[in-house]
Amino acid sequence: MSKARRLLDVACGPGNFTAPLAADLPDDGLAVGFDISESMLTRAVADNSGPHTCYVRGDARTLPFDDETFDAVCCFGALYLMPEPFRVAGEMVRVLQPGGRIAILTSYAPQAAAVRRPMTAIARSTGLRVFGRRRPASSTSNNRRSAPCSSSSRQSRPARTRPLRRRGSGRPACPLRTPAPRVRHR
């Protein structure tokens, strides 16, 4: 992700990865931290803000960005916690520019073959590669495994999407967010 100019960190939490990734961006670069938790984003703005970072709150199943907005997208250690992880992965691919980089780090969730096979097929249809279970050749006692992730109820309610504001600025913290349609009442 070293050549990125616009980076999206999905499920950024308190911005612990967003800020260091932003530090590696060029002067005109921007790292956008995205999370469903307002309390995590409040902490991110307080602890991990900088000239190349902004934070947006919303549901990752419907990212509020235009197609091909980012040249790098990442999600570290959270995809398995989300309902509909493959829908989220599809959204990550949608906002990624052609030739862009995507990085996902997630935990293994053991599943029966009847569940694992369809999930792997769905992942492949979105362009993802799912690593199956296999033991390293050097050791048969090593139980580290990778496979598709499972969903949980962490994000059971969709959140209202809105950008967090930087303290004292009065303006949205993220210039890349797709504006919500305006509703006029007569």
Side-chain angles (χ1 to χ4, degrees):
M1 299 206 179
S2 62
K3 295 182 181 180
R5 280 189 48 249
R6 289 185 175 178
L7 179 134
L8 175 63
D9 183 8
V10 176
C12 68
N16 293 337
F17 289 106
T18 312
L21 290 168
D24 290 337
L25 296 176
D27 290 340
D28 64 339
L30 181 66
V32 178
F34 187 86
D35 204 286
I36 198 166
S37 169
E38 187 167 1
S39 62
M40 283 287 115
L41 290 173
T42 299
R43 201 166 130 206
V45 169
D47 297 345
N48 290 304
S49 285
H52 300 287
T53 57
C54 68
Y55 295 94
V56 178
R57 180 175 185 245
D59 189 336
R61 293 176 288 186
T62 55
L63 291 172
F65 305 105
D66 291 332
D67 294 356
E68 303 176 4
T69 299
F70 299 95
D71 46 13
V73 178
C74 61
C75 181
F76 298 125
L79 191 62
Y80 75 100
L81 297 170
M82 298 178 195
E84 302 180 80
F86 293 107
R87 181 174 170 189
V88 172
E91 280 289 292
M92 293 169 66
V93 170
R94 180 186 64 78
V95 299
L96 186 66
Q97 293 176 356
R101 300 277 183 152
I102 190 165
I104 299 173
L105 174 67
T106 192
S107 299
Y108 170 74
Q111 298 166 334
V115 173
R116 189 174 54 252
R117 285 186 190 115
M119 287 183 72
T120 300
I122 292 168
R124 285 189 182 135
S125 73
T126 64
L128 299 176
R129 179 175 177 202
V130 177
F131 297 94
R133 293 195 249 182
R134 86 185 141 112
R135 295 175 190 224
S138 62
S139 170
T140 57
S141 64
N142 187 340
N143 280 336
R144 281 188 245 166
R145 299 174 181 168
S146 323
C149 43
S150 66
S151 61
S152 73
S153 60
R154 180 173 179 245
Q155 293 181 342
S156 56
R157 290 182 310 162
R160 183 173 59 102
T161 302
R162 67 177 182 85
L164 262 74
R165 298 186 184 278
R166 291 192 183 176
R167 288 185 184 162
S169 72
R171 63 178 173 78
C174 183
L176 298 178
R177 184 176 164 273
T178 303
R182 293 183 182 210
V183 178
R184 287 193 160 155
H185 298 284
R186 293 182 182 201

